[in-house]
């Protein structure tokens, strides 16, 4: 079987439109995920089990189950119920795009929360004590020192998370979205040239990942010029 | 076990497939990871290039796509290689083999980085202490370095295994009868997606918990004597 | 001789589906076994995702596809087909009581299974006018129709007929308009140049002649679908 | 002002798990006192110092600051602050200099020094800036103000840490082995700065292993042993003719 | 046996990049010699010692062991062993004790000591076990044999490292500042063990900063300066009336 890359050229514009959908999915869920993650991370750090219990369970569920299951639960699972279909959230839930965003956001926020938590807890105890002896309140301590400090630590792990999210977004294709993978699969349904089209799609993903890695390296370099290297263990996603 | 409209047994069968898939991929991935790390740390440029190429590609392409490419592509590639040698029969790459290949490759790429970090974390003095005894390099690697690498790498590898466990769900897309696929079949028969996907989720969660316990046990064993007692 | 590996999809009731023992069943599967008996071949029926059927056949994962696959020009570029073993048609499907002017589906959300004749028809005729959604399986199409995410569905008439009649959800939906694309002929796909094609054709003639086919037909539909 | 001591600690106990590290330590510091705390490793010097501003929670005892008692209430295993506002206020008046500097690495030297007065005390920016520059000048690193901590040597970092503490205008300064993380060559710089502070009449509590320094600058020397005050007095007394055998032994190995 | 020196180094040079660290050092050690190598930090002491068993590859020079020359061939930037078998054999006869012990943390004390004779020399297990226990007893930590290195203090770890080296029955022992990673209190234990070895008549090369120790145990003292032997002789000579001004200066700061 010879490969025929002319189909790639022919369908390239459609692959690009899939790429755009992928970008929208990733950017939106990463941004929303970060916003959701911060309070979860802070609650998770609390020594009070009443406060940290919920976030713990949330993080555990979303990190412990496949994203594919999570998407199906949101998309097919929720719509099974009449109540949901008649409620005010249905206009959102009926859209596969928003279902994907919801699943991705919840998923990435669980991972991001762990990254934030790791970063905050990686700050050497002495630096925290330096805040305390100065008479800072908890709020001042977090706002002025710990969160800005954590930002620098978080970078490598967070860059990783974005790439993992980019790749995980391929699962949107399973709920009718024409993201890059979905578009590739649709094209293949017509042309029966899986290898050519998948390779092309893979190459596009690769280019985006490499761009993300590159950007993060740059930012990191700037950050760590002064910071030295303090990094945390990265929880990976699946 | 719940009856689940008669699909309970099938889901359990799916779980068994999922576990087999995960363990087989783990074995493949660990070997690839060690080879990859050794290649990256070797002084041989072409080996470094190959290893870098491998990890970059695999880590930049969605796992779903890797599974699809291997599934549809590997057979073609294998057969065209075989036909060069005059062998023209069909070479079977079933969903299981494709899954193991794709997930093993993925695991291996990430494990390469974990092992590389661990190898580099072994102080130079550990090597030197073996060298000055006149120890053979291979013996040094297996008796002195590897046991320590293993300890350092374990948390990272454990993490990767949890990822792998969840990635097995992707192989359902090419028709492997794992938990996810069985859940899909159950959904199409019963029209109860919420129930079955939730059950699937908890099955994965259970597998995750068991894996975490195993990893924890291994970590404890491996760090025997390494923390001040 | 060698085993003949026959692939079906397993998500296209009543033609092919997976029962709660995990075994493929349905009209296609019955036909497959009947043909095998006539050919005196050792057969194995495997399931395979729809998207993977033709690629799988081409790389010899299996030797034939009996999965209610329509004979189309595009597919003929990739594979050979036997004579038809039944013929179908496409038909729209929507909630009972809702009025549709089938000439004016602009702005509506229409669903179909990816990589089917229906999907292709929609792509050729409705791209840019209606919102098209393609699914991995026909089951998912029904799930979303029931959920209300789809206004209207285009699918093969015969399996949909079965769904309307036999499923709980089906009772809330009905066909809209006439069936079309009646020339849609369903055949068995084999690799290009494979002599299995002739063997299947011969066996098909035999089961048509000795009434086996009619018996299988009657098991699923009260009318002839040939 | 009354004649209350600036700081008065009574019968401070501290237990970690089963291990009683402090077994009842009392100490008074009046304005202008420079008190050196000596003792072998593990004798509880750091723990005691950290109990003063509740970096560690004592299990028993009382802490008075200018005659005002710090409100304590029983927690799970030890006493915790009953009034966070009061604690915060006291901490603002008690400066603490760590062995390991603990500068914030993501801020420049100047930002480190300005952080407290600007955002905790909420003083006007211009005033804080001027004062910070004055202090950095005083500890001799004004020229490094736009650099980051990791770009400085240990001795320089410790001087910044002292400036950061001074910027809060604390009434008392606590030092926990401020030079022991430094290379021998760098110790001098920091001791020089501290000597200057003593000469200014600042009230200081200093945990140190630098005997010569302690002898020169202290108004009082306290020798801790196994969680208790074993010897206490003027430097002449403690270094010259200690009563305690243990103190004698400690000093003989130290010199 | 002939009267060949146990170890004979001739004109050893070593360059790192552009920096010539050793500029031609020669040295002979006969059986029973205890040679101390002194010199300020950066003078090349460690580098020289590490060149002896090719932990560093010299850029020039020759190494003879019992009259047998170590085969060297030019590598990319320096001389590398031409015959790995020969090198391995020589290394087995030259013991090396590191500043930082380098015990293998995943093995117990006993396993650390037995590893070499058992798996490198392939001696019978029972014999190795008995000898290991004898050695651990000799260095005074027989009771710790089933513990792991990290559970021991630095001084104890260094004694294990010495036992591990002795277990190979080396003809010569090289020590690279064996006590400088230890707390002052622990130094004594290790020096005691080494003194015992010297008294037994072992051939040793010792890089050290412990002047008193060097003076007592050495049969010869070598003072390195900037990659060259600046002074050399009996301890009486070198410590008592060194010819070199630099040596004099070094010794005056050291005591
Ligand atoms: N957080 C803690 N948990 C348990 N034990 C502790 C803790 N902090 C200190 N200790 C123990 O308390 C004792 C006193 O410690 P502390 O740090 O106060 O001694 P120190 O006099 O400052 O010694 P050094 O001169 O070494 O700094 C030690 O035995 C130490 O192990
Ligand atoms: N691997 C290396 N690469 C480059 N330079 C090196 C290397 N090892 C040592 N040097 C340099 O060689 C010189 C001599 O180092 P060496 O460690 O031999 O000194 P030393 O006499 O042992 O000092 P010390 O008493 O501090 O251990 C130093 O200037 C050092 O920086
Ligand atoms: Mg202390
Ligand atoms: Mg050295």
């Amino acid at each position: 079987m010879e490969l025929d890359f002319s189909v790639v050229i022919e369908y390239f514009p459609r692959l690009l439109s899939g790429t755009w959908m992928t970008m929208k999915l990733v950017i939106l869920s990463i941004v929303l995920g970060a916003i959701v993650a911060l309070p979860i991370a802070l609650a998770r750090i609390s020594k009070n089990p009443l406060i940290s219990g919920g976030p713990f369970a949330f993080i555990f569920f979303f990190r412990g189950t496949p994203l594919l299951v999570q998407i199906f639960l949101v998309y097919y699972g929720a719509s099974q119920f009449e109540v949901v279909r008649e409620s005010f959230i249905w206009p959102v839930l009926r859209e596969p795009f928003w279902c994907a965003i919801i699943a991705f956001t919840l998923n990435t926020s669980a991972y991001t929360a762990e990254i934030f938590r790791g970063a905050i807890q990686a700050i050497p105890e002495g630096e925290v004590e330096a805040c305390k002896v100065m008479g800072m309140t908890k709020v001042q301590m977090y706002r002025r020192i710990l969160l800005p400090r954590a930002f620098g630590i978080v970078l490598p792990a967070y860059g990783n998370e974005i790439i993992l999210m980019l790749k995980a977004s391929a699962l949107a294709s399973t709920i009718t979205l024409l993201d890059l993978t979905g578009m590739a699969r649709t094209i293949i349904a017509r042309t029966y040239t899986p290898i050519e089209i998948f390779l092309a799609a893979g190459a596009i993903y690769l280019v985006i990942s490499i761009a993300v890695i590159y950007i993060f390296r740059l930012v990191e370099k700037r950050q760590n010029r002064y910071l030295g290297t303090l990094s945390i263990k990265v929880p990976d996603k699946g | 076990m719940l009856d689940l409209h008669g699909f309970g047994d099938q889901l359990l069968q799916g779980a068994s497939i999922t576990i087999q898939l995960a363990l087989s991929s783990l074995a493949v991935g660990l070997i690839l990871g060690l080879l990859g790390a050794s290649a990256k740390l070797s002084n041989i440029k072409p080996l470094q290039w190959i290893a870098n190429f491998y990890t970059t590609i695999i880590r930049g392409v969605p796992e779903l796509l890797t599974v699809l490419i291997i599934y549809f592509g590997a057979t073609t590639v294998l057969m065209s290689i075989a036909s060069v040698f005059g062998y023209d029969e069909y070479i079977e790459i079933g969903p299981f083999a494709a899954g193991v290949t794709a997930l093993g490759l993925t695991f291996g790429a990430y494990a390469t980085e974990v092992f590389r970090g661990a190898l580099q974390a072994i102080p130079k003095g550990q090597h030197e202490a073996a060298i000055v005894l006149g120890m053979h390099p291979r013996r040094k690697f297996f008796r002195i370095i590897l046991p320590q690498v293993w300890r350092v790498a374990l948390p990272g590898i454990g993490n990767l295994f949890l990822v792998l466990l969840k990635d097995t769900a992707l192989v359902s897309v090419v028709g492997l009868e794992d938990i996810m696929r069985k859940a899909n079949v159950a959904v199409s028969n019963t029209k109860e997606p919420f129930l079955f996907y939730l059950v699937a989720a908890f099955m994965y969660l259970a597998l995750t918990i068991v894996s975490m316990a195993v990893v924890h046990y291994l970590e404890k064993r491996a760090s025997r004597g390494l923390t001040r007692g | 001789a060698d085993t003949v590996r026959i692939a079906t999809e397993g998500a296209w009731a009543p033609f092919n589906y997976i029962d709660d023992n995990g075994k493929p069943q349905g009209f296609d599967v019955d036909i497959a076994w009947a043909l095998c008996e006539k050919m005196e071949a050792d057969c194995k029926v495997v399931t395979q995702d729809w998207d993977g059927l033709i690629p799988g056949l081409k790389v010899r994962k299996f030797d034939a596809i009996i999965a209610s696959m329509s004979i189309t020009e595009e597919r003929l570029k990739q594979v050979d087909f036997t004579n038809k073993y039944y013929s179908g048609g496409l038909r729209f499907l929507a909630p009972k009581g809702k009025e549709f002017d089938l000439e004016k589906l602009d702005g509506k959300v229409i669903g179909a299974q990816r990589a089917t004749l229906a999907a292709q028809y929609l792509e050729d005729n409705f791209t840019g006018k209606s919102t098209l959604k393609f699914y991995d399986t026909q089951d998912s199409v029904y799930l979303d129709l029931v959920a209300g995410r789809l206004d209207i569905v285009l699918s093969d008439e015969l399996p949909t007929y079965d769904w309307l009649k036999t499923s709980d959800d089906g009772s809330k939906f009905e066909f809209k308009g006439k069936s079309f694309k009646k020339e849609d002929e369903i055949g068995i796909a084999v690799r290009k140049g494979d002599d299995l094609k002739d063997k299947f054709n011969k066996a098909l003639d035999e089961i048509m002649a000795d009434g086996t086919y009619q018996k299988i037909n009657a098991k699923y539909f009260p009318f002839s679908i040939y | 002002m009354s004649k209350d001591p600036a700081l008065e600690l009574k019968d401070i106990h501290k237990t970690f798990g089963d291990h009683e590290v402090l077994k009842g330590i009392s100490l008074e510091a009046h304005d202008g006192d420079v008190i050196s705390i000596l003792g072998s490793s593990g004798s509880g010097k750091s723990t005691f110092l950290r109990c003063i501003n509740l970096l560690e929670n004592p299990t028993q005892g009382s802490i008075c600051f200018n005659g005002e008692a710090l409100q304590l209430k029983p927690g799970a295993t030890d006493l915790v602050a009953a009034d966070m506002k009061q604690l915060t206020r006291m901490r603002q008046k008690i400066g603490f200099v760590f062995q390991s500097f603990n500068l914030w690495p993501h801020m420049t030297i100047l930002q480190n020094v300005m952080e407290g007065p600007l955002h905790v005390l909420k003083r006007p920016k211009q005033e804080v800036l001027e004062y910070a520059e004055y202090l950095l000048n005083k500890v001799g690193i004004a020229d490094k103000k736009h650099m980051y901590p990791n770009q400085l040597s240990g001795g320089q970092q410790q001087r910044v840490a002292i400036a950061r503490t001074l910027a809060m205008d604390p009434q008392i300064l606590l030092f926990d082995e401020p030079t022991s993380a430094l290379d021998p060559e760098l110790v001098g710089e920091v001791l020089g700065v501290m000597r200057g502070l003593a000469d200014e009449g600042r009230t200081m509590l200093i945990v140190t292993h630098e005997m010569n320094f302690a002898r020169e600058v202290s108004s009082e020397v306290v020798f801790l042993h196994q969680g208790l005050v074993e010897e206490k007095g003027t430097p002449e007394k403690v270094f010259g003719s200690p009563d305690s055998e243990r103190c004698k032994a400690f000093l003989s190995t130290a010199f």
Side-chain angles (χ1 to χ4, degrees), chain B residues 8-202:
Chain B
D9 283 352
Q10 285 219 49
L11 281 166
L12 281 183
Q13 283 168 26
S16 141
I17 296 283
T18 294
I19 294 168
Q20 288 172 34
L21 180 62
L23 293 180
S24 313
S25 312
L26 173 69
V28 172
L30 284 177
I31 293 168
L32 284 175
L34 273 175
L35 289 178
S38 312
K40 281 200 174 183
L41 293 176
S42 76
N43 300 323
I44 306 161
K45 278 269 160 357
L47 281 184
Q48 291 176 8
W49 291 331
I50 292 170
N52 281 328
F53 181 76
Y54 161 55
T55 53
T56 311
I57 298 283
I58 294 284
R59 295 196 299 166
V61 171
E63 286 72 22
L64 178 61
L65 213 54
T66 312
V67 170
L68 291 169
I69 292 173
I70 300 281
Y71 186 60
F72 291 123
T75 305
T76 316
V77 173
L78 276 181
M79 283 173 58
S80 39
I81 293 172
S83 69
V84 172
F85 296 99
Y87 183 82
D88 251 349
E89 279 308 296
Y90 168 66
I91 300 171
E92 170 84 20
I93 283 267
F96 190 84
V100 170
T101 311
L103 298 181
L105 279 171
T106 307
F107 188 96
Y110 286 93
T112 294
E113 296 306 319
V114 172
F115 282 132
R116 186 173 67 121
L119 277 167
Q120 284 176 321
I122 307 301
K124 198 166 148 235
Q126 291 290 319
H127 292 264
E128 291 186 343
I131 291 173
V132 296
L133 287 191
M135 207 180 267
H136 191 278
R138 200 172 50 228
R139 168 146 220 109
K140 180 190 82 181
F141 182 75
F142 283 106
R143 281 204 54 97
I144 307 298
I145 306 305
L146 201 56
Q148 299 188 57
V149 164
W150 176 236
R151 174 181 64 86
V152 180
L154 238 180
I157 294 294
N159 220 349
L160 290 182
F161 183 73
L162 297 184
V163 176
L164 169 67
L165 198 60
K166 288 173 280 156
D167 277 351
T168 56
L170 301 179
V171 186
S172 69
V173 173
V174 293
L176 185 72
E177 304 278 315
D178 71 331
I179 295 177
M180 198 60 206
R181 173 83 172 190
K182 295 287 190 187
N184 282 329
V185 171
V187 167
S188 75
N189 276 289
T190 62
K191 311 286 180 239
E192 290 205 39
F194 189 79
L195 172 67
F196 282 100
Y197 292 133
L198 202 61
V199 168
F202 279 102

Side-chain angles (χ1 to χ4, degrees), chain A residues 75 85 90 93-94 190 192, chain C residues 75 115 124 135 144 147 149:
Chain A
Y75 188 78
R85 295 209 295 266
W90 183 240
L93 273 183
R94 64 173 287 158
R190 192 169 259 266
Y192 306 108
Chain C
R75 288 186 183 133
D124 291 344
Y135 295 78
D144 257 10
R149 285 198 182 98

Side-chain angles (χ1 to χ4, degrees), chain D residues 236-252:
Chain D
E236 294 71 33
K237 160 81 187 335
V238 174
F239 289 107
S241 55
D243 294 332
S244 147
E245 282 306 312
R246 286 182 192 122
C247 184
K248 217 174 276 175
F250 173 79
L251 292 172
S252 74

Side-chain angles (χ1 to χ4, degrees), chain C residues 40-194:
Chain C
E40 291 174 356
D42 187 7
C43 284
K44 207 169 129 194
V45 176
V46 297
T47 53
Q48 164 70 52
D49 263 53
W50 182 255
D51 289 3
L53 282 170
I54 288 183
L57 179 70
K58 286 171 71 179
V59 299
R60 297 190 228 174
K61 273 178 78 65
F62 29 78
D63 308 303
I65 301 170
I66 308 185
S68 297
M69 188 175 273
S70 306
I71 305 168
T72 66
E73 258 178 47
E74 258 143 336
R75 288 186 183 133
L76 279 168
K77 283 186 209 148
Q78 310 286 332
V79 297
D80 278 352
F81 276 98
T82 61
N83 300 332
K84 69 165 183 172
Y85 65 94
Y86 77 90
S87 47
L90 300 180
R91 207 162 170 191
F92 284 104
L93 174 72
K96 272 186 182 157
K98 253 198 180 164
E99 280 309 313
F100 279 107
D101 182 350
L102 294 180
E103 300 302 308
K104 287 199 187 123
L105 290 175
D106 294 12
K108 296 272 184 283
V109 184
I110 316 179
Q113 185 179 2
R114 200 199 314 272
T116 58
L117 210 58
Q120 203 162 315
Y121 179 85
L122 289 178
E123 273 201 285
D124 291 344
N125 295 285
F126 290 90
T127 303
K129 293 183 213 148
S130 313
T131 307
L132 304 181
K133 283 193 182 175
F134 301 124
Y135 295 78
D136 288 344
T137 62
Q138 185 66 30
D139 287 315
S140 308
V141 181
Y142 292 144
L143 277 178
D144 257 10
L145 180 66
V146 174
R149 285 198 182 98
L150 297 174
D151 296 322
I152 192 160
V153 161
L154 181 63
S155 67
D156 290 83
E157 183 181 5
L158 293 173
T160 307
Y161 170 85
D162 181 73
W163 181 70
L164 289 175
K165 259 185 53 176
T166 58
S167 73
D168 294 344
D169 291 325
S171 57
K172 295 175 209 136
F173 299 90
E174 64 186 7
F175 282 124
K176 302 285 177 183
K178 294 243 154 47
S179 76
F180 54 102
K181 285 262 174 191
K182 285 295 275 185
E183 71 281 8
D184 177 18
E185 298 192 332
I186 312 299
I188 300 169
V190 295
R191 270 186 300 283
K192 275 200 173 302
D194 194 333

Side-chain angles (χ1 to χ4, degrees), chain D residues 16 19 21 39-48 56 99 176-177 209:
Chain D
F16 287 113
H19 179 34
V21 174
S40 59
S41 182
S43 56
K45 305 180 295 296
S46 297
T47 307
F48 174 64
E56 300 291 354
Q99 177 178 2
D176 188 8
E177 302 195 26
H209 285 297

